[in-house]
Amino acid sequence: MRPSGRLTLACMNVLHLTTPADLAAARAAGEYRLSSRGLTLEDVGFIHLCTPAQLPGVVSRFYADVEDLLALVVDLDACEAAGSPVRWEPAPDAAHELFPHVYGPLP
């Protein structure tokens, strides 16, 4: 039997790290446009995400000094449906590993 429909991207959880203050500001603005710590979607061109397996490395490299950190679970299908394409791309310092990037605001 052949599968029908489109490929489901959200076969695993992907995460985006943020702070409660940044999340509250995004909710007040009506959309989430933060790429990574201190950088916006406009600064970088995409929003950084990671898989649960990648989370410990991301936290230790970029957020080790942040005490109040949230991991948002991101629905990749919802991103695509909202017009924010998802691409899996290598990081400059980890070319052997692909990270999910969303090219638009999170819905």
Side-chain angles (χ1 to χ4, degrees):
M1 175 182 240
R2 295 179 62 201
S4 61
R6 64 183 178 82
L7 175 67
T8 299
L9 295 175
C11 58
M12 71 169 87
N13 289 334
V14 293
L15 308 169
H16 174 77
L17 296 173
T18 192
T19 64
D22 285 342
L23 181 58
R27 285 182 173 155
E31 64 182 2
Y32 193 94
R33 301 185 72 84
L34 297 173
S35 175
S36 60
R37 186 176 182 185
L39 299 170
T40 66
L41 173 61
E42 289 72 25
D43 294 331
V44 178
F46 58 84
I47 295 176
H48 288 273
L49 306 175
C50 66
T51 67
Q54 294 166 326
L55 183 64
V58 171
V59 170
S60 68
R61 280 181 282 190
F62 303 108
Y63 296 92
D65 63 327
V66 179
E67 291 184 23
D68 204 5
L69 195 59
L70 300 174
L72 305 179
V73 177
V74 178
D75 183 333
L76 298 182
D77 286 330
C79 291
E80 291 279 348
S84 295
V86 177
R87 298 183 192 139
W88 290 78
E89 300 170 313
D93 62 343
H96 64 284
E97 191 173 17
L98 297 179
F99 287 82
H101 296 149
V102 176
Y103 283 82
L106 297 181

